[in-house]
Amino acid sequence: MADKTPTRTPETPPTADRASHAEVADFVAKVSAMSATKTSGERGRLLFAMDATMSRQPTWDLACQLQGEMFETVAKTGGLDVQLIYFRGFGECRASRWVSDARALAGLMTGIDCRGGHTQISKVLAHARGEHNKKKINAVVYVGDAMEEDIDKLAQKAGELGLLGCPMFLFQEGQDPVAQTAFKEFARLTKGAYARFNAGAAAELAALLRAVAAYASGGRAALKLQQGGTAKLLLEQLS
């Protein structure tokens, strides 16, 4: 896979829409309302899915930075295996192996460049179900900015994940109303959560990514290892 030429992290546009505190608080509340259902001694499993189509290029470096921070938290808390799946171009959809060293995935992401193409969320959902049938997945994180497929068919697949007890945490870049409607529905069907993902809310959403990683790796015990207001808020609401 060809290395991606480093580019400058985009500055926040003056008119960038900032995710409201209420939206972020709602996301935190939904995460905190969940309970990690792992068998004692087992490692958690988190599937990280990324839209790598060309429309995401302007904020790709920022996304990789925040996702990298999440992986660093995974490495610190331990107890979590992560798999990366991404799609781009003409029908290209690839998944890595499951790894315990999440920092290796952060390095892998820097080698992925965006390519033109349509969304392939259906393949991501089908892959998630297949992997979950082999061994339980504690959470699926999805980052994207568009939805160009049949929403009813995707909702059916998301609902199947929900029945299996596999929550989706969906982060949306940009303002596409079709994507927003779809992502919120997938979160509802899987008993997961949705939040907007943009440069204006980078710090808050980075904290949420770390919280999701901690949730998947061990629930309340893993959250206690984190520092910061988001972790404290989660712990208060989990009490």
Side-chain angles (χ1 to χ4, degrees), residues 183-203:
F183 294 174
K184 285 186 174 181
E185 180 65 3
F186 303 158
R188 183 188 71 81
L189 289 167
T190 62
K191 295 181 173 59
Y194 160 92
R196 196 174 299 281
F197 179 98
N198 58 46

PDB file of all heavy atoms in Angstrom, residues 183-203:
ATOM      1  N   PHE A 183     -26.960   7.800  10.209  1.00  0.00           N
ATOM      2  CA  PHE A 183     -26.084   7.465  11.326  1.00  0.00           C
ATOM      3  C   PHE A 183     -26.845   7.450  12.645  1.00  0.00           C
ATOM      4  O   PHE A 183     -26.613   6.600  13.505  1.00  0.00           O
ATOM      5  CB  PHE A 183     -24.921   8.456  11.407  1.00  0.00           C
ATOM      6  CG  PHE A 183     -23.966   8.388  10.239  1.00  0.00           C
ATOM      7  CD1 PHE A 183     -22.930   9.303  10.114  1.00  0.00           C
ATOM      8  CD2 PHE A 183     -24.098   7.413   9.262  1.00  0.00           C
ATOM      9  CE1 PHE A 183     -22.045   9.251   9.046  1.00  0.00           C
ATOM     10  CE2 PHE A 183     -23.227   7.343   8.182  1.00  0.00           C
ATOM     11  CZ  PHE A 183     -22.188   8.267   8.078  1.00  0.00           C
ATOM     12  N   LYS A 184     -27.754   8.386  12.820  1.00  0.00           N
ATOM     13  CA  LYS A 184     -28.553   8.410  14.040  1.00  0.00           C
ATOM     14  C   LYS A 184     -29.438   7.159  14.135  1.00  0.00           C
ATOM     15  O   LYS A 184     -29.647   6.611  15.221  1.00  0.00           O
ATOM     16  CB  LYS A 184     -29.412   9.670  14.096  1.00  0.00           C
ATOM     17  CG  LYS A 184     -28.635  10.923  14.442  1.00  0.00           C
ATOM     18  CD  LYS A 184     -29.563  12.118  14.617  1.00  0.00           C
ATOM     19  CE  LYS A 184     -28.793  13.334  15.105  1.00  0.00           C
ATOM     20  NZ  LYS A 184     -29.683  14.505  15.304  1.00  0.00           N
ATOM     21  N   GLU A 185     -29.953   6.726  12.987  1.00  0.00           N
ATOM     22  CA  GLU A 185     -30.789   5.530  12.978  1.00  0.00           C
ATOM     23  C   GLU A 185     -29.969   4.281  13.304  1.00  0.00           C
ATOM     24  O   GLU A 185     -30.419   3.412  14.058  1.00  0.00           O
ATOM     25  CB  GLU A 185     -31.467   5.375  11.615  1.00  0.00           C
ATOM     26  CG  GLU A 185     -32.377   4.164  11.474  1.00  0.00           C
ATOM     27  CD  GLU A 185     -33.613   4.208  12.374  1.00  0.00           C
ATOM     28  OE1 GLU A 185     -33.808   5.214  13.091  1.00  0.00           O
ATOM     29  OE2 GLU A 185     -34.386   3.234  12.368  1.00  0.00           O
ATOM     30  N   PHE A 186     -28.750   4.194  12.772  1.00  0.00           N
ATOM     31  CA  PHE A 186     -27.897   3.045  13.071  1.00  0.00           C
ATOM     32  C   PHE A 186     -27.556   3.016  14.563  1.00  0.00           C
ATOM     33  O   PHE A 186     -27.517   1.940  15.177  1.00  0.00           O
ATOM     34  CB  PHE A 186     -26.606   3.096  12.257  1.00  0.00           C
ATOM     35  CG  PHE A 186     -26.808   3.149  10.766  1.00  0.00           C
ATOM     36  CD1 PHE A 186     -25.816   3.651   9.929  1.00  0.00           C
ATOM     37  CD2 PHE A 186     -27.995   2.721  10.183  1.00  0.00           C
ATOM     38  CE1 PHE A 186     -26.001   3.704   8.556  1.00  0.00           C
ATOM     39  CE2 PHE A 186     -28.193   2.781   8.808  1.00  0.00           C
ATOM     40  CZ  PHE A 186     -27.187   3.274   7.995  1.00  0.00           C
ATOM     41  N   ALA A 187     -27.306   4.191  15.134  1.00  0.00           N
ATOM     42  CA  ALA A 187     -27.007   4.265  16.566  1.00  0.00           C
ATOM     43  C   ALA A 187     -28.219   3.795  17.380  1.00  0.00           C
ATOM     44  O   ALA A 187     -28.076   3.054  18.351  1.00  0.00           O
ATOM     45  CB  ALA A 187     -26.629   5.687  16.954  1.00  0.00           C
ATOM     46  N   ARG A 188     -29.407   4.221  16.973  1.00  0.00           N
ATOM     47  CA  ARG A 188     -30.621   3.823  17.690  1.00  0.00           C
ATOM     48  C   ARG A 188     -30.848   2.322  17.610  1.00  0.00           C
ATOM     49  O   ARG A 188     -31.141   1.662  18.614  1.00  0.00           O
ATOM     50  CB  ARG A 188     -31.832   4.559  17.105  1.00  0.00           C
ATOM     51  CG  ARG A 188     -33.144   4.274  17.837  1.00  0.00           C
ATOM     52  CD  ARG A 188     -34.324   4.875  17.111  1.00  0.00           C
ATOM     53  NE  ARG A 188     -34.625   4.175  15.861  1.00  0.00           N
ATOM     54  CZ  ARG A 188     -35.320   3.037  15.790  1.00  0.00           C
ATOM     55  NH1 ARG A 188     -35.779   2.462  16.905  1.00  0.00           N
ATOM     56  NH2 ARG A 188     -35.554   2.466  14.626  1.00  0.00           N
ATOM     57  N   LEU A 189     -30.677   1.774  16.430  1.00  0.00           N
ATOM     58  CA  LEU A 189     -30.944   0.353  16.225  1.00  0.00           C
ATOM     59  C   LEU A 189     -29.956  -0.552  16.954  1.00  0.00           C
ATOM     60  O   LEU A 189     -30.288  -1.682  17.322  1.00  0.00           O
ATOM     61  CB  LEU A 189     -30.919   0.034  14.727  1.00  0.00           C
ATOM     62  CG  LEU A 189     -32.096   0.588  13.907  1.00  0.00           C
ATOM     63  CD1 LEU A 189     -31.804   0.477  12.422  1.00  0.00           C
ATOM     64  CD2 LEU A 189     -33.384  -0.154  14.256  1.00  0.00           C
ATOM     65  N   THR A 190     -28.737  -0.069  17.156  1.00  0.00           N
ATOM     66  CA  THR A 190     -27.718  -0.881  17.824  1.00  0.00           C
ATOM     67  C   THR A 190     -27.562  -0.516  19.297  1.00  0.00           C
ATOM     68  O   THR A 190     -26.680  -1.040  19.972  1.00  0.00           O
ATOM     69  CB  THR A 190     -26.351  -0.742  17.122  1.00  0.00           C
ATOM     70  OG1 THR A 190     -25.924   0.624  17.212  1.00  0.00           O
ATOM     71  CG2 THR A 190     -26.427  -1.166  15.668  1.00  0.00           C
ATOM     72  N   LYS A 191     -28.400   0.439  19.767  1.00  0.00           N
ATOM     73  CA  LYS A 191     -28.286   0.946  21.133  1.00  0.00           C
ATOM     74  C   LYS A 191     -26.905   1.536  21.365  1.00  0.00           C
ATOM     75  O   LYS A 191     -26.285   1.368  22.430  1.00  0.00           O
ATOM     76  CB  LYS A 191     -28.594  -0.156  22.152  1.00  0.00           C
ATOM     77  CG  LYS A 191     -30.032  -0.655  22.090  1.00  0.00           C
ATOM     78  CD  LYS A 191     -30.310  -1.723  23.140  1.00  0.00           C
ATOM     79  CE  LYS A 191     -31.786  -2.108  23.187  1.00  0.00           C
ATOM     80  NZ  LYS A 191     -32.291  -2.629  21.894  1.00  0.00           N
ATOM     81  N   GLY A 192     -26.423   2.259  20.340  1.00  0.00           N
ATOM     82  CA  GLY A 192     -25.137   2.929  20.417  1.00  0.00           C
ATOM     83  C   GLY A 192     -25.307   4.421  20.600  1.00  0.00           C
ATOM     84  O   GLY A 192     -26.205   4.859  21.312  1.00  0.00           O
ATOM     85  N   ALA A 193     -24.465   5.223  19.931  1.00  0.00           N
ATOM     86  CA  ALA A 193     -24.542   6.670  20.084  1.00  0.00           C
ATOM     87  C   ALA A 193     -23.982   7.352  18.838  1.00  0.00           C
ATOM     88  O   ALA A 193     -23.215   6.769  18.067  1.00  0.00           O
ATOM     89  CB  ALA A 193     -23.783   7.123  21.326  1.00  0.00           C
ATOM     90  N   TYR A 194     -24.381   8.618  18.650  1.00  0.00           N
ATOM     91  CA  TYR A 194     -23.990   9.410  17.484  1.00  0.00           C
ATOM     92  C   TYR A 194     -23.464  10.769  17.951  1.00  0.00           C
ATOM     93  O   TYR A 194     -23.967  11.334  18.938  1.00  0.00           O
ATOM     94  CB  TYR A 194     -25.198   9.634  16.570  1.00  0.00           C
ATOM     95  CG  TYR A 194     -25.064  10.809  15.609  1.00  0.00           C
ATOM     96  CD1 TYR A 194     -24.551  10.637  14.339  1.00  0.00           C
ATOM     97  CD2 TYR A 194     -25.473  12.090  16.006  1.00  0.00           C
ATOM     98  CE1 TYR A 194     -24.431  11.701  13.466  1.00  0.00           C
ATOM     99  CE2 TYR A 194     -25.354  13.169  15.126  1.00  0.00           C
ATOM    100  CZ  TYR A 194     -24.830  12.969  13.859  1.00  0.00           C
ATOM    101  OH  TYR A 194     -24.691  14.029  13.004  1.00  0.00           O
ATOM    102  N   ALA A 195     -22.464  11.287  17.260  1.00  0.00           N
ATOM    103  CA  ALA A 195     -21.985  12.640  17.519  1.00  0.00           C
ATOM    104  C   ALA A 195     -21.371  13.198  16.241  1.00  0.00           C
ATOM    105  O   ALA A 195     -20.860  12.446  15.400  1.00  0.00           O
ATOM    106  CB  ALA A 195     -20.957  12.657  18.647  1.00  0.00           C
ATOM    107  N   ARG A 196     -21.424  14.533  16.111  1.00  0.00           N
ATOM    108  CA  ARG A 196     -20.803  15.171  14.955  1.00  0.00           C
ATOM    109  C   ARG A 196     -19.300  15.249  15.177  1.00  0.00           C
ATOM    110  O   ARG A 196     -18.826  15.413  16.304  1.00  0.00           O
ATOM    111  CB  ARG A 196     -21.375  16.576  14.748  1.00  0.00           C
ATOM    112  CG  ARG A 196     -21.068  17.147  13.371  1.00  0.00           C
ATOM    113  CD  ARG A 196     -21.782  18.468  13.175  1.00  0.00           C
ATOM    114  NE  ARG A 196     -23.224  18.309  13.273  1.00  0.00           N
ATOM    115  CZ  ARG A 196     -23.983  17.839  12.281  1.00  0.00           C
ATOM    116  NH1 ARG A 196     -23.425  17.460  11.149  1.00  0.00           N
ATOM    117  NH2 ARG A 196     -25.291  17.745  12.432  1.00  0.00           N
ATOM    118  N   PHE A 197     -18.552  15.119  14.117  1.00  0.00           N
ATOM    119  CA  PHE A 197     -17.092  15.072  14.166  1.00  0.00           C
ATOM    120  C   PHE A 197     -16.558  16.168  13.254  1.00  0.00           C
ATOM    121  O   PHE A 197     -16.681  16.095  12.046  1.00  0.00           O
ATOM    122  CB  PHE A 197     -16.627  13.695  13.673  1.00  0.00           C
ATOM    123  CG  PHE A 197     -15.135  13.485  13.650  1.00  0.00           C
ATOM    124  CD1 PHE A 197     -14.508  12.827  14.687  1.00  0.00           C
ATOM    125  CD2 PHE A 197     -14.365  13.897  12.574  1.00  0.00           C
ATOM    126  CE1 PHE A 197     -13.138  12.584  14.658  1.00  0.00           C
ATOM    127  CE2 PHE A 197     -12.999  13.680  12.538  1.00  0.00           C
ATOM    128  CZ  PHE A 197     -12.385  13.014  13.589  1.00  0.00           C
ATOM    129  N   ASN A 198     -16.020  17.257  13.845  1.00  0.00           N
ATOM    130  CA  ASN A 198     -15.444  18.312  13.007  1.00  0.00           C
ATOM    131  C   ASN A 198     -14.332  19.016  13.748  1.00  0.00           C
ATOM    132  O   ASN A 198     -14.127  18.802  14.946  1.00  0.00           O
ATOM    133  CB  ASN A 198     -16.523  19.304  12.547  1.00  0.00           C
ATOM    134  CG  ASN A 198     -17.256  19.954  13.700  1.00  0.00           C
ATOM    135  OD1 ASN A 198     -16.635  20.396  14.665  1.00  0.00           O
ATOM    136  ND2 ASN A 198     -18.576  19.999  13.605  1.00  0.00           N
ATOM    137  N   ALA A 199     -13.610  19.858  13.044  1.00  0.00           N
ATOM    138  CA  ALA A 199     -12.449  20.532  13.622  1.00  0.00           C
ATOM    139  C   ALA A 199     -12.835  21.375  14.827  1.00  0.00           C
ATOM    140  O   ALA A 199     -12.072  21.516  15.776  1.00  0.00           O
ATOM    141  CB  ALA A 199     -11.772  21.398  12.562  1.00  0.00           C
ATOM    142  N   GLY A 200     -14.030  21.959  14.811  1.00  0.00           N
ATOM    143  CA  GLY A 200     -14.443  22.826  15.897  1.00  0.00           C
ATOM    144  C   GLY A 200     -14.664  22.111  17.203  1.00  0.00           C
ATOM    145  O   GLY A 200     -14.662  22.723  18.267  1.00  0.00           O
ATOM    146  N   ALA A 201     -14.896  20.811  17.164  1.00  0.00           N
ATOM    147  CA  ALA A 201     -15.148  20.050  18.383  1.00  0.00           C
ATOM    148  C   ALA A 201     -14.075  18.992  18.605  1.00  0.00           C
ATOM    149  O   ALA A 201     -14.324  17.978  19.253  1.00  0.00           O
ATOM    150  CB  ALA A 201     -16.528  19.402  18.305  1.00  0.00           C
ATOM    151  N   ALA A 202     -12.888  19.230  18.083  1.00  0.00           N
ATOM    152  CA  ALA A 202     -11.838  18.220  18.104  1.00  0.00           C
ATOM    153  C   ALA A 202     -11.508  17.725  19.507  1.00  0.00           C
ATOM    154  O   ALA A 202     -11.420  16.520  19.744  1.00  0.00           O
ATOM    155  CB  ALA A 202     -10.570  18.773  17.436  1.00  0.00           C
ATOM    156  N   ALA A 203     -11.328  18.650  20.446  1.00  0.00           N
ATOM    157  CA  ALA A 203     -10.926  18.244  21.792  1.00  0.00           C
ATOM    158  C   ALA A 203     -11.998  17.394  22.465  1.00  0.00           C
ATOM    159  O   ALA A 203     -11.700  16.367  23.077  1.00  0.00           O
ATOM    160  CB  ALA A 203     -10.622  19.481  22.638  1.00  0.00           C
TER     161      ALA A 203
END
